[in-house]
Amino acid sequence: NAGVTQTPKFRVLKTGQSMTLLCAQDMNHEYMYWYRQDPGMGLRLIHYSVGEGTTAKGEVPDGYNVSRLKKQNFLLGLESAAPSQTSVYFCASSYKTGLMNTEAFFGQGTRLTVV
Amino acid sequence: TQLLEQSPQFLSIQEGENLTVYCNSSSVFSSLQWYRQEPGEGPVLLVTVVTGGEVKKLKRLTFQFGDARKDSSLHITAAQPGDTGLYLCALGSYNTDKLIFGTGTRLQVFP
């Protein structure tokens, strides 16, 4: 059981380049999230999705776009990378029962450096 | 702006000491989760609390949810080097599907 898988694990981009980070989950979870984690900080929510075909903005959405064409996949895109987007990116998935969030399962992270 | 503030930000202690970390919000939340993250890994869930005043124990870890559902604490008894990591609280809200994380407490336990 793979859980949540992120690809790639590492990437170096030049300023202005674009790229897509892929997150795949095999737990049939409805909810998926993209976070970024900077040194000395917790996780900040970029975008999230509550089901196939839906996306919504989180706390820090600027400069990123997402798509959820299939339930198991959640893609994070950077159209024109900037040094400020250097970070570790985490994807997570969960399901929700009523008003309570259930356990969020995380991928191993993608370390992105923009030079 | 972080909705969840954790304190302290950093904590370095010797093995065997006790410690408490805190998670505070200006908003009422429906549930709160505590996660631990080790270097190079994603966070892993420790516990979920949903009832105001609730206390849960997980071996040497005691979690408490405030009566007003706006704060929580994590107490570790007789800390061990294996407790080292980043402790994160996360809130689920009545009005949103977002899962928002706190600023984190980085704990280092020395042998």
Side-chain angles (χ1 to χ4, degrees):
Chain A
N1 190 346
V4 178
T5 303
Q6 291 183 232
T7 53
K9 290 185 170 51
F10 302 94
R11 185 72 184 269
V12 178
L13 284 181
K14 293 183 178 179
T15 298
Q17 286 186 318
S18 63
M19 78 162 294
T20 300
L21 282 67
L22 172 63
C23 177
Q25 54 96 2
D26 61 3
M27 296 171 283
N28 201 36
H29 285 165
E30 291 292 336
Y31 288 65
M32 296 187 75
Y33 312 86
W34 274 109
Y35 295 90
R36 61 177 289 173
Q37 186 172 39
D38 300 304
M41 299 187 71
L43 297 167
R44 291 186 291 171
L45 182 64
I46 303 172
H47 287 281
Y48 64 102
S49 169
V50 301
E52 181 178 321
T54 73
T55 63
K57 294 181 180 180
E59 301 171 281
V60 289
D62 293 343
Y64 305 95
N65 56 75
V66 288
S67 63
R68 184 100 180 266
L69 299 179
K70 294 183 178 180
K71 185 177 184 178
Q72 63 268 33
N73 295 336
F74 195 29
L75 278 63
L76 177 70
L78 285 73
E79 290 186 347
S80 180
S84 61
Q85 294 178 303
T86 293
S87 188
V88 180
Y89 291 85
F90 285 98
C91 174
S93 71
S94 72
Y95 63 92
K96 193 168 182 178
T97 302
L99 295 173
M100 184 179 77
N101 289 85
T102 59
E103 178 176 4
F105 292 83
F106 283 82
Q108 296 271 45
T110 296
R111 186 173 295 274
L112 175 66
T113 302
V114 183
V115 297
Chain B
T1 303
Q2 286 279 8
L3 298 177
L4 283 177
E5 293 292 333
Q6 290 186 242
S7 60
Q9 189 176 1
F10 300 99
L11 195 54
S12 293
I13 61 172
Q14 292 294 126
E15 182 176 3
E17 292 184 18
N18 301 331
L19 67 114
T20 302
V21 299
Y22 301 92
C23 175
N24 293 284
S25 172
S26 57
S27 304
V28 174
F29 34 85
S30 59
S31 65
L32 185 135
Q33 298 172 320
W34 284 95
Y35 290 78
R36 180 169 65 208
Q37 184 182 21
E38 298 186 12
E41 303 288 332
V44 175
L45 181 69
L46 295 172
V47 76
T48 300
V49 286
V50 297
T51 305
E54 182 176 5
V55 177
K56 281 192 174 179
K57 291 192 175 184
L58 185 65
K59 297 183 180 178
R60 294 175 293 101
L61 278 61
T62 302
F63 304 86
Q64 186 158 9
F65 198 14
D67 291 339
R69 309 168 72 95
K70 297 173 68 173
D71 58 273
S72 180
S73 64
L74 159 60
H75 181 79
I76 301 179
T77 303
Q80 299 177 1
D83 296 326
T84 292
L86 179 66
Y87 288 81
L88 296 158
C89 61
L91 78 83
S93 171
Y94 288 112
N95 301 318
T96 177
D97 293 309
K98 299 178 183 178
L99 182 61
I100 302 297
F101 280 80
T103 48
T105 293
R106 191 166 297 278
L107 172 65
Q108 178 79 52
V109 183
F110 293 97

